[in-house]
Amino acid sequence: WLAAGIYLLATGAQASDASDGFGVGARPAGMAGITSTVADRGSALFGNPALLPDVDDAGFLLDAGQGAVAASLPLGRVGAIAAGALDLDHDDRFLIDQPWNPVGTFRTGANRASVAYGVRPYARMSLGATLDGWRSAEGDWSPGNTIGVSLTPTGPFEMGGQAHFRRDAEWLWSVGAAWRPAAQFQLRAELMPEAYAFGVESEWRRLSVRAGLRSSTDALAPGSTGAYGVTLNVTQSSAVEKKKR
């Protein structure tokens, strides 16, 4: 599944907290960083790893906005695996110091390396986990993990959540739900510490349109941020239609 995407992001809407690198990939970025029920090729590695079993084919992800590179491989009934890395230091990426490199040099710290595994033990439930290595700006490494779950109690309704753990930082969590009132149209909501987000996604043939809004509940934090985007699915069917099947 190869996607060519155009993102038009509102002020501050880098999809989610860029310092943690969540919200990587075309679909999460276009919906203000919703990741508990949203993933595309490789992005489940940095969001909810329980969504990895939804990947039907091997894929590769390159997200220059977040400095991410990842690859995913389905293993049939055994599940799916993925591996990748993030360079969260914007100072060593393209258009700044390295015009030849859209991902980053991984030389200055603020990096994340991850491997993940996801499996569907039951028809309407999938589970996933990651093993992460976080490198601080000072160059020190610390371990981390992400655990996730995805539930589909009925055909048009989906729920999911994940928790991110790091030895050198507070743990983060998010839970969300998605509803498909019509074919190739989905509504999404997500709750996380001191913030919430809403997203909408519509696909027609190989054209995808997405929009999202994220708002903070912290009185001292910035106000609402939004994101919207358009992607062109160059090969195979749409992501919404695949999820429906």
Side-chain angles (χ1 to χ4, degrees), residues 41 50-56 80 120 126 150 158 242-243:
R41 285 295 181 268
L51 299 176
L52 277 173
D54 292 335
V55 176
D56 294 331
R120 188 179 298 280
S126 60
S150 177
E158 178 186 359
K242 277 191 174 184
K243 191 66 180 177

Side-chain angles (χ1 to χ4, degrees), residues 17 27 31 33 44 49 51 56 59 64 103-104 121 139 143 149 154 195 199-200 234-235:
D17 186 353
R27 298 182 69 200
M31 287 181 278
L51 299 176
D56 294 331
V103 178
V149 60
T154 63
V200 60
V234 178
T235 61

Side-chain angles (χ1 to χ4, degrees), residues 21-140:
F22 305 131
V24 172
R27 298 182 69 200
M31 287 181 278
I34 293 177
T35 58
S36 56
T37 59
V38 177
D40 55 15
R41 285 295 181 268
S43 66
L45 174 66
F46 306 113
N48 185 354
L51 299 176
L52 277 173
D54 292 335
V55 176
D56 294 331
D57 305 295
F60 178 78
L61 169 74
L62 174 63
D63 186 334
Q66 291 265 32
V69 58
S72 57
L73 178 66
L75 303 175
R77 295 183 179 180
V78 179
I81 57 175
L86 287 168
D87 183 355
L88 301 174
D89 188 344
H90 290 255
D91 290 336
D92 68 356
R93 294 227 295 278
F94 77 134
L95 301 182
I96 302 175
D97 293 331
Q98 304 289 343
W100 52 270
N101 187 352
V103 178
T105 63
F106 293 87
R107 295 182 302 184
T108 58
N111 308 138
R112 175 187 175 187
S114 303
V115 294
Y117 173 70
V119 65
R120 188 179 298 280
Y122 304 102
R124 298 189 179 275
M125 181 180 73
S126 60
L127 304 171
T130 72
L131 177 62
D132 307 318
W134 292 88
R135 185 187 182 203
S136 69
E138 292 75 28
D140 300 322

Side-chain angles (χ1 to χ4, degrees), residues 33-38 48 147-149 158-164 171-178 188-193 195-198 214:
I34 293 177
T35 58
S36 56
T37 59
V38 177
N48 185 354
I147 57 174
V149 60
E158 178 186 359
M159 298 181 295
Q162 69 261 27
H164 307 274
W171 71 287
L172 301 174
W173 58 268
S174 62
V175 293
R188 302 181 185 274
E190 185 171 85
L191 178 67
M192 62 218 78
Y196 57 90
F198 299 98
R214 175 179 293 255

